[in-house]
Amino acid sequence: MSNPLQGAQFVLAAHRISQLPSDHGAEVAFAGRSNAGKSSALNTLTAHRGLARTSKTPGRTQQMVAFSLPPLIQGEGEPPLPARLIDLPGYGYAKVPEALREHWKQEIDAYLHQRRSLRGVVLIADIRHPLKDFDRMMLDFCFATHLPCHVLLTKADKLSRNQAAQALAALRKEMAASDTQATAQVFSSQTPTGVEEARDMVMTLLNTPRP
């Protein structure tokens, strides 16, 4: 099966949302804590080992990084639509100054509220740990603003298949109890587990009109 994300290319790294590519087209943002495996997930999904930087030191992504994708084919007579992936700064673990953490908090908030080409969020969470406050805030925001959110429970290779299934069921139960209408799956960049499902979901999000 061909990989629709394989054509991803680095475009730029932005310190502010005003520096991002023109707010036209469709993009999916990847968000998550700094140690949840976000860069590895991006590299695996795009089949581009060096696309997003990975490091043994969490928190290396300290800018909003834009990657272009092959344009989306629209209806007959309509021009192709620009498509992008946006890697948001890792949050919650990075050893950065408080002022920089506050800056990124404000920029991420502004990006989520103002970016009209944003079609959905892929939230990266370590399957071995309960959701953190940041994860729940992101889920609540997406639900409140009718923005689709898909959770990748990463590092599933660290658990048995039964343990991973239990973790996924527990997350879905928690989201249902809080009336959070997000989707979720298990994922591993190492095995790889759930990669095709995640790629399909990213493409579904890109092709979902903004409410």
Side-chain angles (χ1 to χ4, degrees):
M1 182 180 298
S2 62
N3 179 4
L5 304 179
Q6 194 164 6
Q9 295 184 343
F10 171 83
V11 177
L12 56 80
H15 190 63
R16 300 184 181 279
I17 62 171
S18 59
Q19 300 168 335
L20 287 172
S22 175
D23 195 2
H24 169 66
E27 61 194 31
V28 168
F30 282 69
R33 287 173 59 84
S34 302
N35 54 347
K38 182 160 53 67
S39 294
S40 295
L42 273 164
N43 290 342
T44 299
L45 291 173
T46 59
H48 194 324
R49 182 176 298 179
L51 187 72
R53 292 188 304 173
T54 59
S55 171
K56 292 182 179 179
T57 303
R60 292 297 299 275
T61 304
Q62 296 183 6
Q63 293 178 300
M64 291 177 283
V65 184
F67 305 102
S68 65
L69 293 172
L72 300 174
I73 304 301
Q74 302 296 288
E76 185 176 352
E78 297 183 24
L81 195 66
R84 294 173 295 274
L85 302 178
I86 304 293
D87 186 8
L88 297 178
Y91 188 84
Y93 188 90
K95 295 180 179 179
V96 297
E98 179 64 31
L100 183 57
R101 276 202 299 270
E102 184 61 28
H103 166 78
W104 283 122
K105 181 179 178 181
Q106 295 176 3
E107 287 299 311
I108 291 174
D109 183 75
Y111 170 82
L112 294 171
H113 277 93
Q114 300 174 19
R115 192 74 173 171
R116 296 308 305 165
S117 53
L118 178 61
R119 299 296 181 86
V121 172
V122 175
L123 179 61
I124 309 297
D126 190 326
I127 195 170
R128 299 170 297 175
H129 306 296
L131 294 182
K132 308 298 184 183
D133 288 344
F134 171 80
D135 304 322
R136 293 190 175 91
M137 287 171 54
M138 185 63 71
L139 287 170
D140 290 344
F141 172 84
C142 290
F143 177 68
T145 57
H146 306 288
L147 187 65
C149 182
H150 184 64
V151 183
L152 291 189
L153 290 177
T154 58
K155 307 186 182 182
D157 55 287
K158 305 295 185 182
L159 302 179
S160 69
R161 183 174 299 183
N162 185 53
Q163 289 172 322
Q166 290 178 351
L168 178 60
L171 172 61
R172 287 174 171 167
K173 183 177 180 180
E174 177 182 343
M175 292 192 300
S178 62
D179 199 27
T180 301
Q181 297 178 3
T183 53
Q185 67 166 101
V186 297
F187 183 88
S188 170
S189 297
Q190 300 298 321
T191 319
T193 297
V195 173
E196 291 297 334
E197 179 184 352
R199 285 172 179 159
D200 289 344
M201 180 55 68
V202 171
M203 294 307 299
T204 296
L205 293 175
L206 285 170
N207 285 285
T208 300
R210 180 74 186 247

